[in-house]
Amino acid sequence: SGDLVLAGRTIWVALIGGPLVTVVASVMPAIKASRVAPMAAMRDSATGGTSGVLRNVVGGVVGAGGVAAVLVGLDRGELAYVGGGAIAVFVGLAMIAPMLSRPVVSVLGAPVEAVCGVTGMVARDNARRSPRRTATTASALMIGTALMAASFILSRSITESVERSVSGTVAADLVVTADTQAGFSDALAGEIEDVPGVHSIARFRTAQFKIGNATKSIAGVPAAALDTKSPDLAIDIAVDAGDITHLADGGIAIHDDVARDHGWHIGDVIDATFPLGNRPLTLVATYSQNTLVGDYLVDLPTFAVSYVGTADLVGIVSVEASADVKAVQAAIQHIVDVRYPGTKVQDRKQYVADMKAQVAQFTSLITALLLLAVLIALLGVLITMLLAVSERTREIGLLRAVGMSRRQVRSMVRWEAAIVSLFGALMGLAVGTFFGIALVRALAGQGITVTIVPISTLVILAAAIALLGVIASMYPARRAARLNVIAAVANG
């Protein structure tokens, strides 16, 4: 928690950046408007235009380059390449969207025409007639949908990875944690060891240190708590090289990806800088499970002599086989309630659920922010449909004159909006799925090892976008239905 910060630069960036972005966005429409021939401007027709060859070629090249950048970023583990490639893919797909508009809209509108008859046929043709306008509206929805789809994939993958990793890594029965990052007094561990039924407690600490000029996080854990052959095993980090029992001899264990990136091998001496001075550490083991412990590990005594006054962050408790885990948990809970407020005692199942809840809280916040992008894009749907109704005033009047009812006019406008919205949602799902999987693969070194694509959630998202598009078109549809037939036919 902290005070709300509103810096002066935030206000100036908003006041200057907003109008500046708007002016930049208006450059291409201004150039296009200046090139309209006077006689063409006097015609009573919508000039949707078709997609140019040059635009499609450039868009294809930009999009392909973006995909290549994403793949290179995944191969090298560089998130900057992945992010830059994502932007390029968005731009490239937006450029070729007019070319995709007519064939895709034709397919999406076919069921509408089959079910709704003439109304559906007109809605389908209206969505096809202005491919650039349809593509522009759909592209805005594509971006919001893609970001939300990628967020869903990332959040589900993180949650599943955390659950599997914690379930497979924490080998003890109970976990003691603090409500804040400040941790709890190391005196608690001594009291827990005296509780009847407790076999051992592995104290876990973490702090910052430096390797060269880079500041990293390092964890301190008793060496026996990491040894799969020890009865005191508390955390299984999946050691794949070296001997973790040598950690107590001034050693350091490093995540295998980090060791490989630096070219370190078992036996190498690594100079580390701690608050209490420099210390040479020998690489004694590499491991593959870093969700809980991070990328660097030392023995708890080595950690203790390198820092001043560091508290325990987590305590992992092993219970005797003959003891009742619930009774031991209740006894430890009584101790922390009396003398260590802000500390909780959980069994493995509760601890996993708590970790998942923390991840879900963070990802839910991200999803809520991304929802704003979709809502803004839906304003584009509303504006597009209002513009379409204005341009087709005479056409709507003729349809009403030959027998189309007001209800059918409203239905026609709503179905057109639904087709356009669904087009944008499908493009967004395709791009978002690609980016979601790419992000998960890029974060594999951070412990995100499971890729989950929630198909049902993505289908619901696409349907929701289409429904929201219909809702956004209700006002334009009502306005179209209320046009005076004689005035509309005489228009233009």
Side-chain angles (χ1 to χ4, degrees), residues 178-229:
D179 290 337
T180 68
Q181 292 297 316
F184 49 84
S185 171
D186 57 359
L188 176 58
E191 295 191 43
I192 291 176
E193 287 178 338
D194 294 335
V195 172
V198 171
H199 171 72
S200 64
I201 176 172
R203 296 152 62 186
F204 176 89
R205 298 179 178 182
T206 184
Q208 301 291 309
F209 81 123
K210 295 185 73 173
I211 293 181
N213 294 322
T215 301
K216 303 291 183 180
S217 293
I218 191 168
V221 184
L226 305 171
D227 183 8
T228 55
K229 298 178 182 179

Side-chain angles (χ1 to χ4, degrees), residues 29 51 220:
S51 180

Side-chain angles (χ1 to χ4, degrees), residues 4-19:
L4 178 66
V5 177
L6 180 59
R9 67 175 181 273
T10 303
I11 299 174
W12 286 111
V13 167
L15 291 177
I16 298 175

Side-chain angles (χ1 to χ4, degrees), residues 40 67 74 110 112 152 158 169 237 251 264 299 322 361 430 438-439 470:
V67 172
L74 293 178
V112 177
F152 288 146
I158 291 176
T169 301
I237 57 175
W264 291 328
D299 183 44
S322 59
Q361 183 180 19
L439 282 173
V470 172

